[in-house]
Amino acid sequence: MTTSTRMVKLGRIARTISGVGFPHSFQGSGTGEIPFLKVSDLSLAENSQGVREANNWVNRSTLSELGGRVSPVGSVVFPKVGAALLKNQRRVLLREAAMDNNLMSVVPRIGDAAFLMYAMTTIDMGELSGSGPLPYVSESQVKDLWVHFPEVEEQWRIADFLDAEVGRIGSIMAARRSQMRIFEEREASFISERLFPGSIGRASGEFPWPWLPRAEESPILVRLGYLCHVQGGVTVDASRGRSETDVTRPYLRVANVKADRLELGSVTEITVPKAVADRSALQPGDVLMTEGGDIDKLGRGTVWSGELPGALHQNHVFALRPDPERLDAEYLALLTRSLHGRCYFEATGVKSTNLASTSSSKVKSFPIPLVSLAEQHKAAVEVNGSLAEIGRLRSALVRQIDLLEERKRALITAAVTGQIDVTTARGADVS
């Protein structure tokens, strides 16, 4: 049995408040009278459909000076710009709050706030944003949206049903994400203990590497620069004129180099003189490392296996070229992912907010164990074998989370559009 539901324009049943008018330099403060919401704050309520806390706050007097408005309790808040717009995050305010200029709220005049939040979840805002470089929706576009709007009593029943079912699915997803974090910790600890026995639980606390075991328990350390050449990348020069010796090659950017893998689905090309291409081309066995990025990923290396012959790399990507008779590339990449590697690059990196950068001189100064090539290869084979097994388990968890997300979206759509009778429906067992 299904129930009927009428459609209305959102502007007829609600008003909009956009976080416009705030200077980009204004970030809020650690204390204040009301929360100052940012897109990242919506993730604080990952397992809830409501949001009440924020990492930043603002006083009412400051808000008034900036021309900002307060969204009341019961407002539906969502991203209005950027990649976050496409993630379909909707949250109901559980306390009044202000917003930065990346958020918008819809304030119901009539009807149930929770139902409106679910009804808006069925709408893909990305389809409204056009094909510009930065996805964006305006207040007028949002007001023109058609939403399902049954009688208020039915809205209450639907919202209660979805609160229970979505909450149940959310709990299972949270458990799967917790398992993912455990696997990530297992990966890190296994790498560290195999390459630096005792680094987990028996750190010496001694200068200059307090996170390592005592010197007598560890192999001798040498500078990476003694065993490895660090190659700089190619800088794009749009003003350079073309010549007959120019060649066009694949061009790896920072976005293509991840902490433990390469993403080669969107590799661009660059045209440079042949001499530049010849001296800057990547070679199989190079270890790629980004100059900057998230601080927890800084300095992590990924082995290049020659996936794109003749490929060049951006100047913000280092190519570490080990001496093949003294240093194993896979072993080096694992060293950068160990506790030692993480601590070294985080300690020596230049930090800005949650971003950091390193330099070729700091990369060359990275201290690595002086062990035989045979021992390096043996350690790399053992660690990579275990990581592959953990990776298969993590992939299974990712697939489960994706299926649960699909189930949640389908359930919300079916309930909001009246395809199921929530008074008799019971969510399928997804545990």
Side-chain angles (χ1 to χ4, degrees), residues 225-240:
Y226 290 137
L227 308 176
C228 182
H229 168 68
V230 178
Q231 175 177 283
V234 178
T235 303
V236 175
D237 183 3
S239 63
R240 186 186 67 83

Side-chain angles (χ1 to χ4, degrees), residues 12-33:
R12 289 188 55 195
I13 59 171
R15 60 188 176 94
T16 55
I17 297 178
S18 192
V20 296
F22 296 117
H24 286 286
S25 59
F26 182 75
Q27 299 296 316
S29 61
T31 59
E33 296 174 304

Side-chain angles (χ1 to χ4, degrees), residues 151-385:
E151 297 298 326
V152 174
E153 291 80 2
E154 182 65 14
Q155 293 182 32
W156 293 339
R157 285 192 288 269
I158 292 172
D160 287 345
F161 168 79
L162 289 175
D163 283 346
E165 292 300 319
V166 170
R168 190 165 66 95
I169 294 173
S171 296
I172 299 171
M173 293 174 70
R176 298 296 179 264
R177 292 191 180 101
S178 178
Q179 291 175 306
M180 290 279 290
R181 289 189 289 271
I182 292 172
F183 281 132
E184 290 170 1
E185 293 170 4
R186 173 60 180 163
E187 283 183 345
S189 63
F190 184 81
I191 294 171
S192 299
E193 274 300 303
R194 179 60 182 85
L195 304 184
F196 293 93
S199 58
I200 305 296
R202 295 207 316 274
S204 68
E206 297 176 351
F207 180 83
W209 319 120
W211 50 81
L212 288 179
R214 295 184 182 278
E216 58 269 21
E217 300 179 38
S218 302
I220 297 174
L221 300 178
V222 298
R223 293 176 71 249
L224 176 61
Y226 290 137
L227 308 176
C228 182
H229 168 68
V230 178
Q231 175 177 283
V234 178
T235 303
V236 175
D237 183 3
S239 63
R240 186 186 67 83
R242 296 295 182 92
S243 71
E244 294 181 356
T245 63
D246 283 358
V247 293
T248 300
R249 299 284 176 80
Y251 185 58
L252 264 70
R253 299 160 295 142
V254 170
N256 301 120
V257 181
K258 301 302 180 182
D260 57 354
R261 67 190 186 282
L262 297 170
E263 291 190 356
L264 304 180
S266 59
V267 176
T268 61
E269 293 185 333
I270 188 171
T271 300
V272 296
K274 186 177 184 300
V276 173
D278 289 344
R279 69 170 179 261
S280 304
L282 293 172
Q283 298 179 13
D286 287 349
V287 177
L288 303 183
M289 178 187 294
T290 58
E291 179 186 37
D294 294 338
I295 190 169
D296 64 321
K297 299 178 180 62
L298 183 67
R300 294 196 184 191
T302 303
V303 177
W304 175 255
S305 300
E307 289 86 344
L308 300 172
L312 308 179
H313 58 107
Q314 192 179 32
N315 58 312
H316 297 300
V317 175
F318 298 124
L320 283 56
R321 186 162 299 152
D323 179 346
E325 296 184 357
R326 305 170 69 192
L327 182 59
D328 183 87
E330 294 286 351
Y331 178 75
L332 173 57
L334 290 171
L335 283 174
T336 67
R337 295 171 60 185
S338 69
L339 174 65
H340 173 53
R342 307 308 333 118
C343 290
Y344 172 81
F345 285 104
E346 289 186 21
T348 60
V350 178
K351 304 174 185 66
S352 173
T353 313
N354 194 41
L355 299 178
S357 62
T358 189
S359 65
S360 60
S361 62
K362 290 173 182 174
V363 172
K364 292 176 183 178
S365 296
F366 178 41
I368 66 172
L370 184 61
V371 297
S372 70
L373 194 63
E375 172 58 23
Q376 294 175 35
H377 180 69
K378 179 182 177 182
V381 169
E382 290 179 6
V383 174
N384 282 330

